[in-house]
Amino acid sequence: MFFDLSISRRRRVRPVGAAALALGLAAVTGCSSDSGAGDDTVKVGLVASLSGTYKPVGTDLRAGFELYLDTHDNKLGGHKVELIVADEGDGPPTAVPAATKLVKKDKVDALTGLVGGGSVNAVLPLVNQARIPFLGSNGRPVIKDLEYVWTTSFLSDEPGKAIAPYVKEKVDGPVYAIGPDYQGGYDELRGFTDEFKRVGGELANPDGKTTWTPFPKTTNFMPYFAEIAKTDAKAVYCFYAGKAAIDFAKQYAQSDIADLPLYTAFVTEGSVLQAQGDAAKDIYSVLNYAADLDNAANREFAADWTAKHDTQPTTYAMASYDAAAVLDKAIADAAKDGEVTPQTINKAIAGLGQIDSPRGAWEFGDKAHSPVQAWYLRQVRPDGNQLANVMVQDLATLGG
């Protein structure tokens, strides 16, 4: 499967306004037939980290979905929507009961969100048992049973896979790999290290394997940086997000390896960049989205986002916005063919073609139910009077 992802990306989309992020549930007028209201209301459950290490990520997932509803009359596929939000916390121990309530008590028609790959794996049995579509909007591990599973973001090993050849080309020597010891970290770093070795790269880690930092308790990275300084590393590759990304970037800039180029997935994405400040300057990152991409869908999305929030949009918000867009098209298609149910929505998702997205056009691949999409290299650079993740170049098209 291939389609044209080429677009001109040099024109900037800048923030045009600000408003405080409205917290709370985005429930609209009307509810499901279970609670006595009209049958045309669709219930959507969104599980995201609204507390803990990944609160910045989860907050953007919620805000992205809400933005789509706000700009589409609080309807998906012509149906009123009741959005019910639950807190994923730091992983499965909180994610599973949150999702269980949405599926079994609230009886949602579709489930979306989930920040962590471990949370996805833990919630899947519930999804399959209830036979409802799950539209993940953050990194997802490889899954065998995909009947009801889709992602509008990416597979967790793809960021590292996309940037590894570039790092091999630009760095004259071994690269040190480091990341958090949980499912998402394993997937993200595996994508980089496997591809880096495949193209002839060498890891600077003494045992030739990624160094893992305990998650979520690691807040002091200085001992790890001291160990990296003892190696012959010419650059560092890592994956961190949320609060851990803030700690990592700030301490990196103050460490003995501050002069080593830092290549990352997600470390500077979102509100963490403001908290990192000058410590984030020049950090490279790989993502499936950049706020300055120049296409019609992104100009509209970025303008709507910055009119409501005092930040540039993020890949987290974009993927959740796209999850709502997918449900919008799928619910409309299901309604044309008859009754709107979790099963007919899921069937309709399978039949969708291209999605016109702020990241550029994409569509679901048949093998992994994940986007076939472009990946971009960004670098933190001054953009006016603030720092931003500025798009540098295309890296690869991956997915399937």
Side-chain angles (χ1 to χ4, degrees):
M1 178 188 307
F2 177 81
F3 49 88
D4 186 10
L5 286 164
S6 61
I7 48 178
S8 170
R9 304 177 178 95
R10 292 305 173 191
R11 180 178 174 183
R12 279 291 159 46
V13 177
R14 298 180 183 276
V16 297
L21 176 63
L23 299 178
L25 303 184
V28 301
T29 304
C31 53
S32 74
S33 57
D34 288 338
S35 49
D39 292 337
D40 63 342
T41 298
V42 175
K43 280 189 174 184
V44 178
L46 188 153
V47 187
S49 297
L50 304 178
S51 63
T53 302
Y54 287 157
K55 180 179 178 180
V57 179
T59 299
D60 274 7
L61 291 188
R62 177 179 61 185
F65 201 99
E66 290 177 342
L67 180 64
Y68 191 93
L69 292 180
D70 289 345
T71 54
H72 290 77
D73 197 29
N74 286 315
K75 291 183 178 180
L76 296 177
H79 289 62
K80 295 179 181 179
V81 175
E82 182 180 0
L83 180 65
I84 310 172
V85 182
D87 186 9
E88 175 185 350
D90 269 331
T94 44
V96 171
T100 300
K101 175 185 177 296
L102 292 175
V103 172
K104 294 190 174 181
K105 182 178 180 181
D106 298 314
K107 299 188 183 303
V108 296
D109 299 297
L111 194 66
T112 188
L114 290 182
V115 172
S119 297
V120 173
N121 279 334
V123 168
L124 283 185
L126 178 69
V127 169
N128 290 327
Q129 180 184 31
R131 299 175 64 227
I132 65 171
F134 166 62
L135 272 169
S137 50
N138 202 41
R140 195 201 76 194
V142 175
I143 292 168
K144 292 183 178 180
D145 187 356
L146 290 167
E147 184 177 2
Y148 291 96
V149 179
W150 311 85
T151 180
T152 58
S153 50
F154 51 89
L155 298 185
S156 296
D157 63 349
E158 289 178 339
K161 185 182 298 184
I163 198 175
Y166 177 87
V167 175
K168 172 62 173 64
E169 178 186 347
K170 295 296 182 180
V171 178
D172 184 20
V175 175
Y176 197 97
I178 183 171
D181 69 340
Y182 73 104
Q183 183 65 54
Y186 303 150
D187 293 337
E188 295 281 354
L189 269 295
R190 173 176 49 79
F192 175 79
T193 56
D194 285 359
E195 183 67 9
F196 190 61
K197 292 175 182 177
R198 189 189 71 80
V199 297
E202 177 188 355
L203 293 183
N205 306 60
D207 59 358
K209 299 178 181 179
T210 298
T211 295
W212 302 111
T213 59
F215 177 85
K217 65 181 181 180
T218 301
T219 57
N220 179 15
F221 292 94
M222 284 300 194
Y224 296 96
F225 298 151
E227 290 302 313
I228 296 175
K230 297 176 183 178
T231 72
D232 58 350
K234 302 301 181 184
V236 174
Y237 179 81
C238 73
F239 154 74
Y240 290 98
K243 183 181 181 301
I246 299 173
D247 294 336
F248 190 95
K250 281 190 168 184
Q251 293 168 31
Y252 192 95
Q254 300 171 353
S255 72
D256 293 338
I257 60 170
D259 60 331
L260 294 183
L262 180 57
Y263 298 91
T264 76
F266 301 96
V267 167
T268 59
E269 181 68 356
S271 61
V272 298
L273 181 57
Q274 299 175 35
Q276 291 160 347
D278 287 346
K281 280 184 178 179
D282 299 326
I283 293 177
Y284 287 98
S285 61
V286 52
L287 269 183
N288 58 347
Y289 176 71
D292 58 349
L293 292 178
D294 184 22
N295 63 70
N298 191 46
R299 288 193 292 273
E300 180 180 357
F301 169 66
D304 289 340
W305 177 272
T306 54
K308 188 173 183 180
H309 306 283
D310 192 21
T311 60
Q312 289 188 326
T314 65
T315 189
Y316 314 122
M318 178 277 297
S320 195
Y321 181 90
D322 274 8
V326 167
L327 285 174
D328 193 4
K329 294 181 68 174
I331 291 168
D333 288 350
K336 291 177 184 177
D337 294 335
E339 187 179 5
V340 175
T341 69
Q343 290 75 42
T344 61
I345 294 172
N346 192 69
K347 181 180 178 181
I349 293 174
L352 296 180
Q354 284 193 24
I355 305 297
D356 186 19
S357 167
R359 79 189 83 175
W362 65 270
E363 63 181 275
F364 289 114
D366 295 331
K367 293 182 179 180
H369 287 186
S370 65
V372 180
Q373 63 188 332
W375 288 87
Y376 309 109
L377 179 71
R378 303 111 47 89
Q379 189 180 33
V380 177
R381 300 174 180 175
D383 185 17
N385 61 359
Q386 64 181 356
L387 292 175
N389 290 292
V390 176
M391 208 283 284
V392 177
Q393 68 176 68
D394 293 6
L395 288 172
T397 296
L398 300 176

